Amino acid sequence: MGHSQRLQKIQAILKRRKIDAFLVSEPRNRFLLSGYLGQDHGIEESAGHLLIPKKGSPQLLTDFRFKIQAQQECRGCEVQLYSKGLIPLLKQLLPRSGAASLAFESHYTLHSTAIAYEKLASELNLSLVPLTGVVEKQRLTKSDEEIDSLKASVRLNEKVFQAVLPTIQPGETELAIALRIETTMREMGAQQPSFDTIVATGKNSALPHAVPSDTVIEANRPLMIDMGLVLDGYCSDMTRTFVPGEADDDYLKIHRLVRKAQLAAMEAIRPGISAASVDKVARRIISDAGYGEYFGHALGHGVGLAVHEGPSLSSRNRKYLREGMVVTVEPGIYLPDWGGVRLENMVLVTRDGSLNLNHDTSFLDL
Amino acid sequence: MGHSQRLQKIQAILKRRKIDAFLVSEPRNRFLLSGYLGQDHGIEESAGHLLIPKKGSPQLLTDFRFKIQAQQECRGCEVQLYSKGLIPLLKQLLPRSGAASLAFESHYTLHSTAIAYEKLASELNLSLVPLTGVVEKQRLTKSDEEIDSLKASVRLNEKVFQAVLPTIQPGETELAIALRIETTMREMGAQQPSFDTIVATGKNSALPHAVPSDTVIEANRPLMIDMGLVLDGYCSDMTRTFVPGEADDDYLKIHRLVRKAQLAAMEAIRPGISAASVDKVARRIISDAGYGEYFGHALGHGVGLAVHEGPSLSSRNRKYLREGMVVTVEPGIYLPDWGGVRLENMVLVTRDGSLNLNHDTSFLDL
């Protein structure tokens, strides 16, 4: 499904909801509907907004700095530049288009910006409609092309892991390894890491979101590597935990338990099962072994244009999985004074079950 | 000025404005007031919020994943974990503290989150106060310690530039050079680049925010490198444009004009001059030479914990510069079918003038 088909779906929703124009600000949503890859510098410094009318071609509103890139990349939309900010340009464009209502992305618009929209709407006598997750809902299930892109991203991520793995030596710091991983990603063709690479040794691996430090890799202690990259806009995400040197019985016990939970959850995934039920399958195995309180995060999350997107595999998500969804399955056990084990693969929900997108099996079955 | 002195200033403001509690979500503001370095994954995935009472110690509200890091890094504040999200935890904490009003950062809170705060405030019978830029105002002028940190960041950035410069060869791609710069930054001790490094050759340099591509560096054509890094939380930002090989007369003319504008603006900077006036000094020189329309961005921006912060050196900022502010001075001329020249230094506003924080003079005076 290309940009224009996605756009038609959104325009059908606008028509149904009697919305004349929809301002799309979330960068991946903007890309999905236009092909424009401009990089925002955080939410405060947008590389542009896509103004979608209920009928006809969208306009990409951006500033001078992004003019040439926007003209090169936007497919089927006109580029309009603002020099004094977005609001004055909207004040020109909206009356011209005859719009009587304007929707915006409530979940990707700052409160202060929404106040400026309210003022504008009142001046132009527009009704203002906050929407949440309308484009994200289109992103929950992936098209065949998107699945191919995700597979390629996973494959490259595994290649990077395999290239770096044999170079890791006890005595190196977490930071040095993380840097080598991210450099290798870029050298092998990734746009960028999809998140800050985690390399955590010993006790540091008890922090699920550890930041690589000057800590030296210890032999015979857990080493957790959580890494992902962006390739052609699509993300990958994989975690391996292992022991450089010799794993003791304590480690093997925890590792095998996490792996058992992961396999059971992957086995459970199919269209029609709720996300919460999949989480429960893994969580019960870990709880029954007495480690429930040490598995403090959700089982997984969707991956696509964003490395964290819907659906969440959490105990709070009662929604059903559907064919074409891609999720991580990443149970973990984190013991504060000892360390942690997390194992993470990416899984596609298929017509009648699931497909593990990872081919790398390093350290999974110890 | 340390975390606790900054905190006292904020608490004095709360008291004056009769606000009982202030929720700080912007990551640099959170760091400034607590010392906590947790990394957010965009605005949607916060690593925590700082709840500041008008009197007494703040609480750092975060989730399980950041527990250990928060406990290690937070100075003078208590760590509280939420497992079901921020709102349920606030619902417990706020009545316990007896707060009758709650402020939040309007410029760093999503509209959808603000709606949840409104609902909470109505349930708890709290008055809800959106604030904008209260902590950022404290960040506009830098303390002596902060200036030292910024100088160290600039110095390291220049060292990286000097290390990479002799290795650049015609025939290499923009991407390869950008990657080498960012890897060298990390190898030399930077936490990370402060923004995506720009390496743009030939016509690509006409895009002020060019993204490095597979384009091969051409001899005798402009090459623009815009790079910065984060060291101990503080950012640097520098641009050099030059010609590998031989610069022709067209290039020299544009380059010298940009440099003339930069020097004049740096000369003009002192406490008491308005930001707009400094912008005008540079802009007039470029306009008088007939290139005004090709200098489409502001002259500069503040740098500190964020690489882009206040004060903006733009024609729209009428505020006066003050001692202790640190700004970039970066005029540029961008000719669509030819290329661009931008030269950028970081400048400290001193008691009676300005101090150029850059020592690197490569390619400035051709």
Side-chain angles (χ1 to χ4, degrees), chain A residues 132-289:
Chain A
T132 302
V134 166
V135 186
E136 281 80 0
K137 220 168 272 171
Q138 300 297 320
R139 286 167 45 190
L140 281 174
T141 57
K142 275 65 180 172
S143 68
D144 290 346
E145 293 96 314
E146 287 185 298
I147 291 166
D148 286 344
S149 298
L150 285 164
K151 283 179 177 170
S153 184
V154 168
R155 207 151 42 228
L156 183 60
N157 197 40
E158 292 186 337
K159 269 192 197 163
V160 173
F161 178 71
Q162 291 295 350
V164 172
L165 189 58
T167 71
I168 296 176
Q169 303 287 346
E172 280 195 292
T173 66
E174 295 170 350
L175 264 172
I177 297 169
L179 175 58
R180 202 152 69 242
I181 289 171
E182 296 192 356
T183 304
T184 308
M185 284 177 180
R186 290 185 163 111
E187 284 172 352
M188 291 177 78
Q191 287 164 254
Q192 59 196 55
S194 54
F195 56 92
D196 291 340
T197 303
I198 294 173
V199 177
T201 184
K203 280 186 199 178
N204 293 351
S205 62
L207 286 75
H209 273 207
V211 175
S213 71
D214 285 331
T215 310
V216 162
I217 301 303
E218 291 179 72
N220 311 323
R221 300 280 295 120
L223 178 62
M224 182 186 289
I225 296 182
D226 189 352
M227 57 188 276
L229 54 81
V230 188
L231 180 65
D232 296 329
Y234 285 84
C235 296
S236 47
D237 190 357
M238 174 174 93
T239 309
R240 294 291 178 263
T241 310
F242 56 98
V243 175
E246 203 149 337
D248 61 19
D249 288 346
D250 285 351
Y251 179 84
L252 288 175
K253 184 179 146 198
I254 301 289
H255 186 107
R256 287 171 183 157
L257 182 58
V258 172
R259 175 61 171 162
K260 189 177 160 195
Q262 187 191 37
L263 283 172
M266 283 165 64
E267 187 65 29
I269 289 177
R270 55 177 165 72
I273 190 170
S274 77
S277 306
V278 179
D279 177 274
K280 200 176 194 177
V281 166
R283 200 166 300 279
R284 182 165 290 165
I285 289 170
I286 290 174
S287 297
D288 284 353

Side-chain angles (χ1 to χ4, degrees), chain A residues 61-62 80-82 85-94:
Chain A
L61 320 181
T62 185
Q80 292 272 2
L81 299 186
Y82 43 78
L86 174 64
I87 303 282
L89 180 58
L90 287 174
K91 203 182 272 186
Q92 281 176 34
L93 295 177
L94 289 169

Side-chain angles (χ1 to χ4, degrees), chain A residues 45 106 109 111-112 209 308, chain B residues 45 65 106 109 111-112 209 308:
Chain A
E45 271 193 65
S106 171
T109 298
H111 178 259
S112 49
H209 273 207
H308 289 174
Chain B
E45 271 193 66
R65 299 170 301 171
S106 170
T109 298
H111 177 260
S112 50
H209 272 208
H308 288 173

Side-chain angles (χ1 to χ4, degrees), chain B residues 148-160 229 231 234-238 303 326 345-347 356-360:
Chain B
D148 286 345
S149 298
L150 285 165
K151 282 179 177 170
S153 185
V154 168
R155 208 152 42 228
L156 183 60
N157 197 39
E158 292 187 336
K159 270 193 198 161
V160 172
L229 54 80
L231 180 66
Y234 286 85
C235 296
S236 47
D237 190 358
M238 174 174 92
V303 184
V326 173
N345 281 342
M346 275 168 60
V347 171
N356 176 9
L357 297 186
N358 285 87
H359 292 90
D360 178 276

